[in-house]
């Protein structure tokens, strides 16, 4: 977890960790109690029907829960659901004393309706409380608390199995709910307003709105399919374990002790996996790779069960699913939702977590209910085979999750880039417009250009002077007199090749720079080779070389691109920076130009390893040079980081990288956290490791923002009406 001195952040992490432990302890003990109560009152053949009925009830309940999350935040909905569940548990305890069979059915339905639903809401609360980047680091602590809670729940269930009657466990489950409520109450005082607020006005809140939104988003559809297949697999493995256990242990306290020990063992192993493997798995396998571990390991254990259908193989398969699900899988799966915009996550997450989970449970229950009477004594082997096939299908779906996660991050990054106060909208839009166009204007240089356009053209007598026009132009250029040089440069629509080498040194003169730039740029497509040779000639002054890079913007050719890529290794920072900006311009205008990502990433890594000392000297030199005026004044570090992000935009999607360049220096915490998480997923490890020390990483909280369409409209309006001087921009540049 990120180290911070913010007491509110530390308090929030502690509260969430305690709440997770209490909630998972209640779930683990509740499952043992549910199974023992049901199998003590009904035969195992009734279990598939109970699973189907509970799944249907849960799927119906999630419609109301999802609608509530659309109107109110998880910080309000989850405590209310926990309080309701606590009252119902105490009522069910009383019912079990007079009607044990009815109580067993009610408890089974209760755990289905409140178990996964409340847990889904709790995780929604967690990933709204922390931004995507911080959530990745905090999740280790929260997952550790959940794993400890699972061990505690299993120990309590096992320890009380021989001391208390099974129905008395319902009172202990209510006590776990009370602990979770108290922890969430402490969290509530530290929850940002965005996480506590009421519904968004632009989000539909009807019971089917979440389903409509879900089927419009491919990434969410993949998550729903993955959850459905996983639930069907778990249902098959649950039936196999329950059937084998009932056949071996019979009914009553022995069965309760068995399930208590099983769930405690699963929780203990999950705790070990969480402590030892969670961070490594997330770092090396990524989120999608981490969640794919569950179906991969279940597939292997199901094959063992198919070969040897016994109680121990049912324990192995169901235990493997439970251990990975409660540790590595949960750590990765919940983080997959942190990239989803809040307006989509709130109405859809509970549907995915519960409705599609129950749909899979219904499917698994129907398969078990249908096949067992048909295949008879071979049912165990057949169900193991089906569980393995389902795990294989889940592996296939998991391959699409990483691409969907990165796409969702990009969307969040785009919409979050314009979370601005009303008073700052104009300034921020101007900054984004300048980032889009890539330049501002120097007033004196602009006035010189206007004066040149209004100046007199060479007279007929002058143009008719005897001798070669190129020689006449050469003599005017070599005279060094500004007006004579301008006449020479205006004499040709396109400079002759013989004059190119004589005009290039004029780029160093601030009074003639714009004239030389225009003339050379008109000739650039035909003189690309000469310009590239000059660019790479380190005997020329740095100011000339960096301005040659700007000349090459008039040559959208692969030859120019290759030369600019070679110049990214130039010893002068400003030369490298102008080359990167020209590459960005050329590739934006001409999609067919090829820029090898490996070359770009290597250049970015070199810049980051060079350090602020080399950046500072070059930046100071540039700001002392009049007449260029194409960059906002920034600190040396900010200037260099802007160059790094320009480089990265050549190899990665341009718009998200441009927004990320501003977001990492923004004061908006959720925007910054989303940008960091996006960079974490798209950058190669060497670049990310080199970049991280240059970025301040702050604890953030979720906030809502405007859509990409609104940003586009603001950019278009600003681009047509606003101009900003270097000084004004420098005073408002993010630091």
């Amino acid at each position: 977890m990120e180290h911070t001195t913010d007491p509110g952040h530390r308090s929030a992490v502690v509260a969430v960790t305690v709440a997770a432990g209490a909630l998972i302890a209640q779930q683990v003990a509740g499952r043992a109690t549910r199974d023992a109560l049901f199998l003590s009152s009904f035969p195992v053949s009734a279990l598939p029907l109970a699973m189907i009925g509970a799944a249907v009830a849960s799927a119906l309940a999630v419609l109301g829960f999802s609608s509530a999350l659309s109107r109110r935040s998880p910080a309000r909905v989850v405590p209310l659901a926990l309080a309701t569940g606590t009252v119902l548990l105490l009522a069910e305890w009383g019912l079990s004393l007079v009607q044990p069979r009815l109580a067993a059915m009610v408890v089974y339905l209760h755990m289905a309706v409140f178990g996964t639903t409340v847990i889904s809401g709790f995780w929604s609360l967690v990933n709204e409380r922390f931004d995507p980047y911080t959530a990745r680091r905090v999740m280790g602590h929260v997952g550790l608390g959940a794993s400890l809670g699972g061990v505690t729940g299993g120990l309590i269930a096992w320890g009380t199995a021989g001391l208390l009657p099974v129905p008395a466990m319902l009172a202990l489950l209510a006590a776990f709910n009370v602990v979770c409520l108290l922890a969430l109450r402490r969290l509530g005082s530290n929850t940002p307003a965005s996480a506590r607020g009421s519904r968004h006005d632009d989000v539909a809140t009807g019971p089917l709105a979440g389903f409509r939104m879900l089927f419009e988003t491919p990434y969410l559809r993949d998550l729903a399919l993955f959850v459905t297949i996983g639930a069907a697999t778990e249902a098959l493995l649950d039936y196999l374990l329950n059937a084998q256990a009932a056949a071996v242990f019979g009914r009553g306290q022995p069965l309760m002790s068995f399930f208590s020990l099983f769930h405690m063992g699963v929780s203990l192993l999950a705790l070990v996996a969480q402590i030892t493997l969670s961070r490594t798995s997330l770092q090396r396998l990524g989120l999608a790779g981490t969640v794919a571990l569950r179906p991969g390991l279940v597939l292997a254990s199901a094959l063992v069960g198919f070969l040897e259908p016994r109680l121990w193989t049912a324990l192995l398969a169901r235990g493997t699913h439970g251990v990975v699900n409660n540790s590595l899988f949960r750590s990765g799966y919940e983080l997959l939702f942190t990239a989803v915009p809040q307006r989509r996550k709130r109405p859809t997450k509970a549907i995915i977590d519960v409705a599609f989970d129950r749909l899979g449970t219904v499917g698994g229950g129907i398969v078990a209910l249908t096949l067992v009477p048909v295949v008879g004594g071979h049912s165990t082997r057949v169900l193991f085979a089906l569980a393995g096939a389902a795990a294989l299908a889940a592996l296939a779906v998991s391959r699409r999750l990483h691409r969907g996660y990165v796409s969702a991050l990009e969307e969040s990054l785009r919409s979050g880039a314009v979370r601005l106060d009303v008073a700052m909208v104009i300034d921020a839009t101007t900054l984004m417009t300048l980032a889009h166009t890539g330049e501002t204007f120097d007033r004196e240089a602009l006035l010189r250009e206007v004066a040149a356009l209004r100046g007199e053209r060479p007279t007929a007598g002058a143009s008719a002077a005897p001798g070669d026009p190129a020689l006449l132009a050469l003599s005017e250029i070599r005279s060094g007199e500004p007006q004579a040089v301008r006449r020479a440069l205006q004499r040709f629509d396109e400079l002759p090749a013989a004059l190119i080498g004589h005009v290039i040194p004029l780029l160093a003169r601030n009074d003639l720079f714009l004239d030389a730039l225009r003339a050379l740029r008109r000739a650039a497509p035909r003189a690309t080779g000469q310009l590239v040779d000059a660019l790479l000639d380190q005997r020329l002054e740095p100011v000339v070389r960096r301005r040659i890079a700007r000349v090459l913007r008039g040559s959208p050719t692969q030859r120019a691109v290759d030369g600019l890529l070679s110049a990214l290794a130039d010893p002068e920072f400003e030369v490298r920076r102008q080359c990167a900006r020209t590459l960005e311009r050329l590739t934006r205008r001409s999609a067919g130009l090829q820029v090898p990502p490996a070359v770009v990433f290597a250049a970015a890594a070199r810049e980051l390893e060079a350090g602020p000392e080399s950046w500072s000297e070059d930046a100071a030199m540039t700001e002392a040079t009049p007449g260029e005026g194409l960059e906002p004044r920034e600190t040396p570090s900010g200037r260099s980081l802007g160059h790094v992000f320009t480089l990265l935009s050549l190899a990665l999607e341009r718009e998200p990288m441009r927004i990320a360049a501003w977001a990492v220096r923004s004061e908006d915490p959720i925007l910054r956290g989303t940008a960091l998480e996006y960079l974490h997923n798209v950058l190669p490890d060497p670049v990310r490791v080199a970049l991280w020390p240059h970025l301040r990483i702050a604890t953030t909280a979720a906030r809502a923002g405007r859509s990409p369409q609104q940003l586009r409209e603001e950019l278009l309006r600003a681009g047509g009406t606003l101009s900003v001087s270097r000084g004004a921009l420098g005073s408002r540049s993010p630091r």
Side-chain angles (χ1 to χ4, degrees), residues 584-606:
E584 191 275 335
R585 291 284 190 86
L586 293 178
T587 55
R588 174 155 38 96
R589 294 196 329 243
S590 304
L593 298 177
Q594 301 296 317
V595 177
V599 175
V600 172
F601 290 139
R606 286 196 303 270

Side-chain angles (χ1 to χ4, degrees), residues 721-735:
T721 60
L722 296 177
S723 63
V724 179
S725 70
R726 289 180 63 185
L729 181 63
S731 67
R732 294 183 180 269
S733 296
R735 297 300 187 196

Side-chain angles (χ1 to χ4, degrees), residues 28-29 32 147-159 241 256-274 315-316 318-324 326-327:
V28 170
S147 298
L148 284 171
V151 174
T152 302
L155 280 171
I156 290 177
W158 175 69
L241 180 60
M256 177 68 184
S257 297
F258 168 77
F259 282 121
S260 299
L261 283 173
F262 168 73
H263 289 297
M264 182 184 65
V266 166
S267 299
L268 185 60
L269 291 175
L271 173 62
V272 174
Q274 182 71 29
L315 272 171
L316 174 65
R318 182 62 183 87
T320 298
H321 185 284
V323 169
V324 180
N326 295 338
S327 56

Side-chain angles (χ1 to χ4, degrees), residues 371-393:
L371 284 180
V372 170
V374 173
V375 298
H378 299 288
S379 61
T380 302
R381 197 182 298 272
V382 171
L383 291 178
F384 269 122
L386 289 175
L392 187 62

Side-chain angles (χ1 to χ4, degrees), residues 424-733:
M424 298 297 292
V425 167
I426 295 177
D427 175 61
T429 302
T430 303
L431 292 176
M432 290 299 298
T433 303
L434 294 172
H436 180 70
T437 61
E439 60 181 276
T440 60
F441 300 99
D442 178 84
R443 183 175 180 274
E444 293 182 2
L446 184 59
L447 290 176
R448 285 200 304 272
E449 183 172 4
V450 172
L453 291 174
R454 291 179 177 176
E456 295 183 356
R457 295 279 177 175
T459 64
S463 62
D468 189 337
L471 292 177
L472 176 59
L474 178 59
S475 65
E476 291 173 328
I477 290 171
R478 294 180 67 86
S479 72
E481 199 279 318
Q483 292 303 322
V485 171
R486 291 191 180 100
R487 283 197 303 271
L489 297 179
Q490 293 168 2
R491 197 181 301 278
F492 306 96
D493 291 333
E494 183 178 309
L495 282 176
L499 296 180
I500 298 294
H502 298 281
V503 175
I504 285 176
L506 297 178
L507 293 172
R509 292 183 54 171
N510 295 322
D511 57 340
L512 292 172
F513 158 61
L514 288 175
D515 304 279
L517 176 68
R518 286 195 301 271
L520 289 170
R521 193 171 282 177
R522 290 195 301 268
R526 186 175 50 82
T528 301
Q530 288 178 273
L531 293 169
V532 168
D533 288 343
L535 173 66
L536 299 177
D537 187 354
Q538 296 183 13
R539 294 172 298 179
L540 292 178
E541 296 177 72
V543 65
V544 173
R545 299 207 306 279
R546 74 168 184 263
R547 288 173 173 176
I548 290 174
R550 294 178 55 190
V551 170
L552 286 170
R553 295 178 188 179
S555 177
T557 64
Q558 188 62 45
R559 189 174 186 182
V561 168
D562 293 341
L564 290 163
L565 288 172
S566 298
L568 292 178
D570 194 279
E572 298 292 336
F573 171 71
E574 280 302 317
V575 175
R576 304 193 301 269
R577 190 165 71 100
Q578 290 297 339
C579 287
R581 298 186 68 221
T582 297
L583 284 167
E584 191 275 335
R585 291 284 190 86
L586 293 178
T587 55
R588 174 155 38 96
R589 294 196 329 243
S590 304
L593 298 177
Q594 301 296 317
V595 177
V599 175
V600 172
F601 290 139
R606 286 196 303 270
E607 295 293 345
L608 293 166
E609 292 168 0
E613 292 78 10
S614 62
W615 302 336
S616 178
E617 181 180 354
D618 291 326
M621 175 195 69
T622 302
E623 293 181 354
T625 303
E628 189 160 352
L630 294 183
E631 291 279 343
R633 292 175 187 250
E634 297 178 345
T635 62
S637 179
R639 199 176 187 85
S640 62
L641 286 178
H643 168 56
V644 170
F645 278 98
T646 300
L647 285 172
L648 295 176
S649 71
L650 300 173
L652 301 168
E653 189 173 352
R654 181 170 284 112
E655 183 183 0
M657 291 306 302
R658 185 173 63 248
I659 297 172
W662 291 103
V664 295
R665 294 177 288 173
S666 169
E667 295 182 359
D668 184 336
I670 184 58
L671 167 60
R672 190 159 181 269
T674 303
L676 290 170
E677 177 69 356
Y678 175 71
L679 295 173
H680 184 93
N681 279 271
V682 299
L683 294 182
D685 288 343
V687 178
R688 176 172 54 81
V689 170
L691 174 63
W692 250 224
H694 299 285
L695 302 179
R696 300 190 313 273
I697 300 175
T699 302
T700 58
R703 294 178 61 188
R706 294 184 295 173
S707 67
Q709 181 62 29
Q710 290 173 307
L711 171 61
R712 179 179 178 275
E713 293 171 359
E714 290 290 340
L715 290 175
L716 290 176
R717 286 197 296 271
T721 60
L722 296 177
S723 63
V724 179
S725 70
R726 289 180 63 185
L729 181 63
S731 67
R732 294 183 180 269
S733 296

